[in-house]
Amino acid sequence: MKYFLWLLKAAIFFTLFAFALNNQQDATVHFFFGTSWTAPLVLVVLAAFALGLIVGVLGMVPRWLKHRNAARSTQATVPAAAETPAAATAPKAAPSPILPGDVHGI
């Protein structure tokens, strides 16, 4: 599986690299008031992707903060109400160690 993931990463890299090599022509982006930006097409696409990523993250921040505050307030109230004398004396189980093969991702 590890080799398959490396092969997938290499395929994605070479596909994007070929895309960049095939799109080196100049593209002109026209802004307001007669201003324009001329750059290779691959940079224009990369800039549009980065701008979309930034707008998406900034649009997500208010909801993320709301959920974070709700989780923090819930966490603060639950342990005090749920703890009983029997639960306070019970030994806690040790967390299982994370092995190198347990973490997955591209």
Side-chain angles (χ1 to χ4, degrees), residues 12-92:
I12 291 171
F13 171 77
F14 285 117
T15 301
L16 292 175
F17 188 68
F19 174 77
L21 288 178
N22 287 332
N23 290 297
Q24 292 182 359
Q25 301 86 5
D26 283 343
T28 303
V29 180
H30 297 280
F31 295 105
F32 299 110
F33 308 114
T35 59
S36 62
W37 176 47
T38 302
L41 182 60
V42 70
L43 289 181
V44 173
V45 171
L46 181 64
F49 174 75
L51 185 64
L53 190 67
I54 290 169
V55 168
V57 167
L58 289 177
M60 187 178 66
V61 166
R63 180 167 284 184
W64 176 70
L65 289 175
K66 183 174 113 177
H67 285 290
R68 182 176 160 195
N69 290 337
R72 190 176 285 168
S73 66
T74 303
Q75 186 180 19
T77 59
V78 169
E83 191 167 322
T84 61
T89 60
K92 298 191 185 246

